[in-house]
Protein backbone atom coordinates (compact mmCIF):
# COMPACT_ATOMS: atom_id res chain seq x y z
CA UNK A 1 0.00 0.00 0.00
CA UNK A 2 2.83 2.37 0.93
CA UNK A 3 4.45 1.69 -2.46
CA UNK A 4 1.17 2.44 -4.25
CA UNK A 5 0.82 5.76 -2.41
CA UNK A 6 4.37 6.71 -3.40
CA UNK A 7 3.63 5.81 -7.01
CA UNK A 8 0.48 7.95 -7.05
CA UNK A 9 2.35 10.87 -5.51
CA UNK A 10 5.08 10.52 -8.11
CA UNK A 11 2.53 10.44 -10.91
CA UNK A 12 0.83 13.54 -9.51
CA UNK A 13 4.15 15.36 -9.41
CA UNK A 14 4.88 14.40 -13.02
CA UNK A 15 1.46 15.63 -14.13
CA UNK A 16 1.87 18.85 -12.15
CA UNK A 17 5.30 19.34 -13.70
CA UNK A 18 3.91 18.81 -17.20
CA UNK A 19 1.09 21.24 -16.50
CA UNK A 20 3.51 23.90 -15.26
CA UNK A 21 5.71 23.48 -18.35
CA UNK A 22 2.65 23.78 -20.61
CA UNK A 23 1.54 26.90 -18.72
CA UNK A 24 4.99 28.43 -19.09
CA UNK A 25 4.99 27.73 -22.83
CA UNK A 26 1.50 29.20 -23.24
CA UNK A 27 2.69 32.29 -21.37
CA UNK A 28 5.00 32.89 -24.33
CA UNK A 29 1.95 33.69 -26.46
CA UNK A 30 0.53 37.17 -26.57
CA UNK A 31 -1.63 39.44 -28.67
CA UNK A 32 0.48 41.34 -31.21
CA UNK A 33 3.60 39.19 -30.81
CA UNK A 34 4.88 40.41 -34.20
CA UNK A 35 4.14 44.07 -33.58
CA UNK A 36 7.83 45.01 -33.73
CA UNK A 37 9.40 42.14 -35.72
CA UNK A 38 6.78 42.07 -38.50
CA UNK A 39 4.10 44.70 -37.84
CA UNK A 40 2.12 43.93 -41.00
CA UNK A 41 2.07 40.15 -40.44
CA UNK A 42 -1.60 39.77 -39.52
CA UNK A 43 -2.74 42.12 -42.30
CA UNK A 44 -0.74 40.15 -44.88
CA UNK A 45 -2.20 36.84 -43.68
CA UNK A 46 -5.74 38.18 -43.66
CA UNK A 47 -5.46 39.62 -47.18
CA UNK A 48 -4.34 36.30 -48.68
CA UNK A 49 -6.92 34.27 -46.77
CA UNK A 50 -9.81 36.63 -47.53
CA UNK A 51 -8.92 36.64 -51.24
CA UNK A 52 -9.30 32.87 -51.32
CA UNK A 53 -12.37 32.63 -49.08
CA UNK A 54 -14.14 35.21 -51.27
CA UNK A 55 -14.07 32.63 -54.06
CA UNK A 56 -14.56 29.55 -51.91
CA UNK A 57 -16.59 29.97 -48.72
CA UNK A 58 -16.05 26.32 -47.80
CA UNK A 59 -12.45 27.15 -46.87
CA UNK A 60 -13.57 28.54 -43.50
CA UNK A 61 -14.61 25.08 -42.31
CA UNK A 62 -11.41 23.60 -43.74
CA UNK A 63 -9.12 26.00 -41.88
CA UNK A 64 -11.06 25.76 -38.61
CA UNK A 65 -10.79 21.97 -38.78
CA UNK A 66 -7.09 22.17 -39.70
CA UNK A 67 -6.41 24.28 -36.60
CA UNK A 68 -8.37 21.87 -34.38
CA UNK A 69 -6.59 18.81 -35.78
CA UNK A 70 -3.20 20.48 -35.48
CA UNK A 71 -3.67 21.45 -31.85
CA UNK A 72 -4.99 18.05 -30.75
CA UNK A 73 -1.87 16.24 -31.99
CA UNK A 74 1.47 17.33 -30.47
CA UNK A 75 -0.03 20.74 -29.72
CA UNK A 76 -0.50 23.76 -31.98
CA UNK A 77 2.84 23.39 -33.76
CA UNK A 78 1.90 23.10 -37.47
CA UNK A 79 2.89 19.41 -37.45
CA UNK A 80 -0.25 18.77 -39.51
CA UNK A 81 1.39 20.63 -42.42
CA UNK A 82 4.50 18.45 -42.67
CA UNK A 83 4.94 16.13 -45.65
CA UNK A 84 6.39 12.64 -45.37
CA UNK A 85 8.12 10.77 -48.22
CA UNK A 86 6.70 7.56 -46.76
CA UNK A 87 3.17 8.95 -46.19
CA UNK A 88 3.43 8.51 -42.43
CA UNK A 89 2.88 12.10 -41.26
CA UNK A 90 -0.24 13.48 -39.56
CA UNK A 91 -1.73 14.70 -42.84
CA UNK A 92 -1.66 11.08 -44.09
CA UNK A 93 -3.87 9.80 -41.25
CA UNK A 94 -7.49 8.93 -42.15
CA UNK A 95 -9.00 11.80 -40.09
CA UNK A 96 -6.84 14.28 -42.03
CA UNK A 97 -7.25 13.01 -45.58
CA UNK A 98 -10.15 15.41 -46.15
CA UNK A 99 -8.24 18.48 -44.94
CA UNK A 100 -7.71 21.17 -47.57
CA UNK A 101 -6.28 24.63 -48.00
CA UNK A 102 -2.60 23.70 -47.64
CA UNK A 103 -1.77 25.69 -50.76
CA UNK A 104 -3.29 28.81 -49.19
CA UNK A 105 -1.17 28.34 -46.09
CA UNK A 106 1.87 28.10 -48.37
CA UNK A 107 0.84 31.32 -50.13
CA UNK A 108 0.50 33.15 -46.82
CA UNK A 109 3.90 31.85 -45.75
CA UNK A 110 5.52 32.96 -49.01
CA UNK A 111 4.05 36.46 -48.65
CA UNK A 112 5.28 36.71 -45.06
CA UNK A 113 8.74 35.45 -45.99
CA UNK A 114 9.00 38.21 -48.57
CA UNK A 115 8.02 40.81 -46.00
CA UNK A 116 9.75 39.42 -42.91
CA UNK A 117 12.05 36.46 -43.62
CA UNK A 118 12.25 33.82 -40.90
CA UNK A 119 9.94 35.60 -38.48
CA UNK A 120 6.35 34.31 -38.62
CA UNK A 121 5.79 30.64 -37.79
CA UNK A 122 3.57 28.26 -39.73
CA UNK A 123 1.82 27.39 -36.46
CA UNK A 124 0.71 31.01 -36.12
CA UNK A 125 -0.36 31.09 -39.77
CA UNK A 126 -2.70 28.13 -39.16
CA UNK A 127 -4.20 29.91 -36.15
CA UNK A 128 -4.64 33.15 -38.09
CA UNK A 129 -6.10 31.38 -41.14
CA UNK A 130 -8.75 29.75 -38.96
CA UNK A 131 -9.77 33.11 -37.46
CA UNK A 132 -9.61 35.09 -40.68
CA UNK A 133 -11.48 32.58 -42.84
CA UNK A 134 -14.34 32.27 -40.34
CA UNK A 135 -14.45 36.05 -39.85
CA UNK A 136 -14.67 36.82 -43.57
CA UNK A 137 -18.48 36.76 -43.71
CA UNK A 138 -18.66 39.43 -40.99
CA UNK A 139 -15.91 41.67 -42.37
CA UNK A 140 -14.26 41.90 -38.96
CA UNK A 141 -12.19 39.74 -36.64
CA UNK A 142 -14.44 37.53 -34.52
CA UNK A 143 -11.72 36.78 -31.98
CA UNK A 144 -8.19 37.82 -31.10
CA UNK A 145 -5.40 35.38 -31.89
CA UNK A 146 -2.48 35.15 -29.51
CA UNK A 147 0.73 34.65 -31.49
CA UNK A 148 4.28 33.61 -30.72
CA UNK A 149 4.04 29.88 -31.49
CA UNK A 150 7.03 28.06 -32.93
CA UNK A 151 6.92 25.14 -35.37
CA UNK A 152 7.45 21.51 -34.45
CA UNK A 153 9.79 19.17 -36.28
CA UNK A 154 7.97 15.85 -35.87
CA UNK A 155 4.74 14.48 -37.32
CA UNK A 156 3.34 10.96 -36.99
CA UNK A 157 0.32 9.38 -38.66
CA UNK A 158 -0.46 7.11 -35.71
CA UNK A 159 -0.59 9.99 -33.24
CA UNK A 160 -3.18 11.75 -35.38
CA UNK A 161 -5.20 8.55 -35.63
CA UNK A 162 -5.06 8.07 -31.85
CA UNK A 163 -5.64 11.62 -30.63
CA UNK A 164 -8.13 13.29 -32.96
CA UNK A 165 -11.64 12.72 -31.54
CA UNK A 166 -13.67 10.33 -33.67
CA UNK A 167 -17.18 11.27 -34.90
CA UNK A 168 -18.43 8.05 -33.27
CA UNK A 169 -17.17 9.08 -29.81
CA UNK A 170 -19.47 8.99 -26.78
CA UNK A 171 -19.64 11.84 -24.30
CA UNK A 172 -17.28 10.27 -21.75
CA UNK A 173 -14.67 9.57 -24.42
CA UNK A 174 -14.90 13.12 -25.77
CA UNK A 175 -14.65 14.68 -22.33
CA UNK A 176 -11.61 12.56 -21.48
CA UNK A 177 -10.02 13.55 -24.77
CA UNK A 178 -10.59 17.26 -24.18
CA UNK A 179 -9.54 17.02 -20.53
CA UNK A 180 -6.28 15.45 -21.64
CA UNK A 181 -5.61 18.63 -23.62
CA UNK A 182 -6.36 20.93 -20.70
CA UNK A 183 -9.86 21.79 -21.94
CA UNK A 184 -13.13 21.40 -20.07
CA UNK A 185 -16.74 20.42 -20.64
CA UNK A 186 -17.65 23.94 -21.69
CA UNK A 187 -14.87 23.98 -24.29
CA UNK A 188 -16.08 20.63 -25.63
CA UNK A 189 -19.61 21.88 -26.18
CA UNK A 190 -18.64 25.32 -27.47
CA UNK A 191 -16.00 24.10 -29.93
CA UNK A 192 -18.42 21.48 -31.24
CA UNK A 193 -20.31 24.51 -32.53
CA UNK A 194 -17.68 24.68 -35.26
CA UNK A 195 -19.84 22.06 -36.97
CA UNK A 196 -22.16 24.89 -37.97
CA UNK A 197 -19.98 25.14 -41.09
CA UNK A 198 -18.67 22.44 -43.36
CA UNK A 199 -19.68 19.03 -44.65
CA UNK A 200 -19.68 15.48 -43.33
CA UNK A 201 -18.86 12.27 -45.17
CA UNK A 202 -21.73 9.79 -45.23
CA UNK A 203 -19.51 6.88 -44.25
CA UNK A 204 -18.87 8.57 -40.89
CA UNK A 205 -22.51 8.53 -39.82
CA UNK A 206 -24.40 6.18 -42.19
CA UNK A 207 -24.57 3.49 -39.48
CA UNK A 208 -26.95 5.84 -37.64
CA UNK A 209 -29.45 5.91 -40.50
CA UNK A 210 -29.10 2.44 -42.06
CA UNK A 211 -29.55 -0.82 -40.12
CA UNK A 212 -28.72 0.90 -36.81
CA UNK A 213 -29.51 -2.14 -34.64
CA UNK A 214 -27.87 -4.62 -36.98
CA UNK A 215 -31.08 -6.54 -37.68
CA UNK A 216 -30.80 -6.25 -41.47
CA UNK A 217 -33.43 -3.53 -41.62
CA UNK A 218 -31.97 -0.78 -43.85
CA UNK A 219 -34.51 1.78 -42.60
CA UNK A 220 -33.68 1.14 -38.94
CA UNK A 221 -32.37 4.47 -37.53
CA UNK A 222 -30.68 5.74 -34.40
CA UNK A 223 -33.60 6.70 -32.09
CA UNK A 224 -31.69 9.79 -30.93
CA UNK A 225 -32.16 11.27 -34.43
CA UNK A 226 -35.12 13.37 -35.47
CA UNK A 227 -36.98 11.01 -37.91
CA UNK A 228 -37.45 13.58 -40.73
CA UNK A 229 -33.77 14.50 -40.47
CA UNK A 230 -32.80 10.82 -40.52
CA UNK A 231 -34.89 10.37 -43.66
CA UNK A 232 -33.12 13.34 -45.24
CA UNK A 233 -29.73 11.77 -44.45
CA UNK A 234 -30.87 8.44 -45.87
CA UNK A 235 -31.78 10.17 -49.11
CA UNK A 236 -28.42 11.89 -49.30
CA UNK A 237 -26.42 8.77 -48.48
CA UNK A 238 -28.10 6.06 -50.56
CA UNK A 239 -24.76 5.01 -52.05
CA UNK A 240 -23.65 3.89 -48.60
CA UNK A 241 -26.34 1.21 -48.57
CA UNK A 242 -24.43 -0.61 -51.30
CA UNK A 243 -20.99 0.48 -50.12
CA UNK A 244 -20.76 1.43 -46.42
CA UNK A 245 -17.15 2.51 -46.94
CA UNK A 246 -17.91 4.99 -49.73
CA UNK A 247 -16.15 8.19 -48.70
CA UNK A 248 -17.10 10.38 -51.64
CA UNK A 249 -20.66 11.33 -50.69
CA UNK A 250 -20.94 14.37 -48.42
CA UNK A 251 -23.77 16.24 -46.70
CA UNK A 252 -23.80 19.79 -45.23
CA UNK A 253 -23.54 19.59 -41.45
CA UNK A 254 -25.91 22.56 -41.14
CA UNK A 255 -28.30 22.24 -44.12
CA UNK A 256 -29.21 25.62 -45.57
CA UNK A 257 -26.38 27.55 -43.93
CA UNK A 258 -23.31 25.31 -44.10
CA UNK A 259 -21.04 28.26 -44.94
CA UNK A 260 -22.48 30.62 -42.32
CA UNK A 261 -20.74 30.66 -38.96
CA UNK A 262 -23.51 31.10 -36.39
CA UNK A 263 -25.27 29.39 -33.49
CA UNK A 264 -27.60 27.36 -35.71
CA UNK A 265 -25.67 24.17 -34.93
CA UNK A 266 -27.11 24.29 -31.41
CA UNK A 267 -30.62 24.92 -32.73
CA UNK A 268 -30.23 21.83 -34.90
CA UNK A 269 -28.77 19.84 -32.03
CA UNK A 270 -31.69 20.73 -29.76
CA UNK A 271 -34.02 19.50 -32.52
CA UNK A 272 -32.09 16.18 -32.55
CA UNK A 273 -30.44 16.98 -35.86
CA UNK A 274 -26.82 16.41 -34.89
CA UNK A 275 -25.10 14.60 -37.76
CA UNK A 276 -22.52 12.61 -35.84
CA UNK A 277 -22.75 10.51 -32.70
CA UNK A 278 -20.23 12.96 -31.22
CA UNK A 279 -22.80 15.72 -31.78
CA UNK A 280 -25.86 13.89 -30.45
CA UNK A 281 -24.00 12.68 -27.38
CA UNK A 282 -23.76 16.26 -26.06
CA UNK A 283 -27.43 15.97 -25.10
CA UNK A 284 -26.79 12.91 -22.94
CA UNK A 285 -25.07 14.95 -20.21
CA UNK A 286 -27.11 17.38 -18.11
CA UNK A 287 -24.51 20.16 -17.92
CA UNK A 288 -23.69 19.90 -21.61
CA UNK A 289 -27.36 19.89 -22.60
CA UNK A 290 -28.00 23.01 -20.48
CA UNK A 291 -25.11 24.73 -22.25
CA UNK A 292 -26.55 23.74 -25.63
CA UNK A 293 -29.72 25.63 -24.66
CA UNK A 294 -27.75 28.81 -23.88
CA UNK A 295 -25.57 28.61 -26.98
CA UNK A 296 -28.53 28.80 -29.33
CA UNK A 297 -28.14 32.58 -28.95
CA UNK A 298 -25.61 33.98 -31.45
CA UNK A 299 -24.13 36.50 -29.03
CA UNK A 300 -23.66 33.93 -26.27
CA UNK A 301 -22.07 31.48 -28.71
CA UNK A 302 -19.62 34.04 -30.10
CA UNK A 303 -18.60 35.19 -26.61
CA UNK A 304 -17.94 31.64 -25.49
CA UNK A 305 -16.29 30.57 -28.73
CA UNK A 306 -13.61 33.26 -28.67
CA UNK A 307 -12.58 32.13 -25.18
CA UNK A 308 -12.61 28.40 -25.93
CA UNK A 309 -10.63 28.69 -29.16
CA UNK A 310 -8.09 30.86 -27.33
CA UNK A 311 -7.63 28.04 -24.82
CA UNK A 312 -7.40 25.48 -27.62
CA UNK A 313 -4.73 27.59 -29.29
CA UNK A 314 -2.57 27.28 -26.18
CA UNK A 315 -2.38 23.46 -26.21
CA UNK A 316 1.23 22.30 -25.82
CA UNK A 317 2.60 25.24 -27.80
CA UNK A 318 6.29 25.69 -28.52
CA UNK A 319 7.52 29.18 -27.67
CA UNK A 320 10.76 30.99 -26.97
CA UNK A 321 13.72 28.91 -28.13
CA UNK A 322 11.71 25.70 -28.55
CA UNK A 323 11.01 24.38 -32.03
CA UNK A 324 11.82 26.48 -35.07
CA UNK A 325 10.31 28.91 -37.57
CA UNK A 326 10.10 26.85 -40.74
CA UNK A 327 11.18 28.42 -44.01
CA UNK A 328 8.52 26.33 -45.80
CA UNK A 329 5.54 25.00 -43.92
CA UNK A 330 5.58 21.47 -45.33
CA UNK A 331 9.23 20.66 -44.46
CA UNK A 332 11.46 21.17 -41.45
CA UNK A 333 14.49 23.40 -41.87
CA UNK A 334 17.66 21.60 -42.90
Amino acid sequence: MKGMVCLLVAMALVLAGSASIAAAQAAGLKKGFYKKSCPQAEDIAQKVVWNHVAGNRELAAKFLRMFFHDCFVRGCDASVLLDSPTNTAEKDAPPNLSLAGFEVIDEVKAALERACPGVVSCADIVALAARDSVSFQYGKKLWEVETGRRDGTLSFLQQAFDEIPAPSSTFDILLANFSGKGLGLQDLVVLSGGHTIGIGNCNLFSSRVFNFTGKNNPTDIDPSLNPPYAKFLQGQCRRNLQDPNDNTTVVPMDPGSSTSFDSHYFVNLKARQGMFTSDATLLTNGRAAALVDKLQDNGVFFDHFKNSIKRMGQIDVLTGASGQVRNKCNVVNS
Side-chain angles (χ1 to χ4, degrees):
M1 178 64 74
K2 184 177 180 180
M4 178 61 74
V5 171
C6 290
L7 177 61
L8 291 173
V9 171
M11 289 175 63
L13 289 173
V14 169
L15 290 172
S18 298
S20 62
I21 291 172
Q25 293 281 34
L29 300 179
K30 66 178 182 179
K31 176 183 173 183
F33 179 85
Y34 300 109
K35 187 174 182 179
K36 292 183 179 179
S37 58
C38 189
Q40 67 273 48
E42 293 195 26
D43 290 337
I44 291 172
Q46 178 183 281
K47 181 178 180 180
V48 174
V49 171
W50 278 21
N51 282 343
H52 282 275
V53 176
N56 182 5
R57 294 286 296 277
E58 292 181 359
L59 278 174
K62 301 294 186 182
F63 286 131
L64 189 59
R65 187 161 170 257
M66 181 187 290
F67 186 35
F68 178 84
H69 284 205
D70 184 42
C71 291
F72 263 65
V73 185
R74 305 188 65 83
C76 311
D77 67 345
S79 52
V80 74
L81 303 180
L82 288 173
D83 289 335
S84 163
T86 55
N87 298 320
T88 54
E90 288 174 33
K91 64 165 57 172
D92 302 305
N96 287 332
L97 293 178
S98 58
L99 292 182
F102 295 108
E103 72 286 352
V104 180
I105 298 294
D106 290 341
E107 186 177 331
V108 174
K109 178 62 174 175
L112 287 168
E113 285 298 300
R114 289 191 296 270
C116 314
V119 173
V120 182
S121 70
C122 299
D124 278 341
I125 291 172
V126 171
L128 290 168
R131 189 271 309 278
D132 293 338
S133 59
V134 171
S135 299
F136 173 79
Q137 76 176 93
Y138 294 98
K140 63 179 182 180
K141 297 174 181 178
L142 291 185
W143 64 87
E144 291 292 343
V145 174
E146 292 181 319
T147 45
R149 297 169 188 79
R150 304 263 291 178
D151 300 324
T153 58
L154 301 173
S155 184
F156 301 106
L157 180 155
Q158 191 60 47
Q159 281 190 314
F161 191 77
D162 292 340
E163 297 187 34
I164 294 172
S168 58
S169 298
T170 61
F171 184 82
D172 289 342
I173 291 174
L174 286 173
L175 187 58
N177 195 303
F178 273 64
S179 297
K181 305 299 179 184
L183 302 175
L185 181 148
Q186 178 168 299
D187 299 312
L188 164 59
V189 179
V190 171
L191 292 172
S192 293
H195 283 179
T196 190
I197 53 176
I199 55 178
N201 289 74
C202 285
N203 66 312
L204 298 178
F205 62 83
S206 59
S207 62
R208 300 186 70 204
V209 295
F210 297 123
N211 194 28
F212 177 71
T213 58
K215 297 180 179 178
N216 294 319
N217 179 359
T219 61
D220 188 14
I221 66 169
D222 182 343
S224 68
L225 276 171
N226 176 311
Y229 180 61
K231 190 172 183 179
F232 163 75
L233 294 178
Q234 287 177 333
Q236 298 294 307
C237 301
R238 285 194 182 93
R239 289 182 61 176
N240 288 80
L241 265 176
Q242 285 72 43
D243 180 10
N245 296 316
D246 169 54
N247 63 358
T248 61
T249 309
V250 296
V251 183
M253 288 192 285
D254 186 356
S257 63
S258 62
T259 59
S260 179
F261 188 80
D262 52 36
S263 62
H264 201 245
Y265 165 83
F266 297 102
V267 176
N268 286 339
L269 194 55
K270 188 68 176 176
R272 297 190 296 132
Q273 296 179 36
M275 176 176 285
F276 302 116
T277 298
S278 58
D279 296 317
T281 196
L282 298 181
L283 297 179
T284 65
N285 175 275
R287 285 177 58 205
L291 192 53
V292 168
D293 287 342
K294 295 178 182 178
L295 293 170
Q296 292 179 75
D297 178 271
N298 250 0
V300 174
F301 171 51
F302 286 0
D303 283 344
H304 281 71
F305 191 85
K306 66 183 181 183
N307 294 323
S308 288
I309 202 164
K310 176 183 176 180
R311 284 190 286 271
M312 188 188 82
Q314 297 172 343
I315 297 175
D316 294 335
V317 292
L318 301 172
T319 58
S322 299
Q324 61 181 216
V325 174
R326 290 184 214 140
N327 298 320
K328 291 187 177 181
C329 289
N330 63 326
V331 293
V332 297
N333 299 342
S334 57

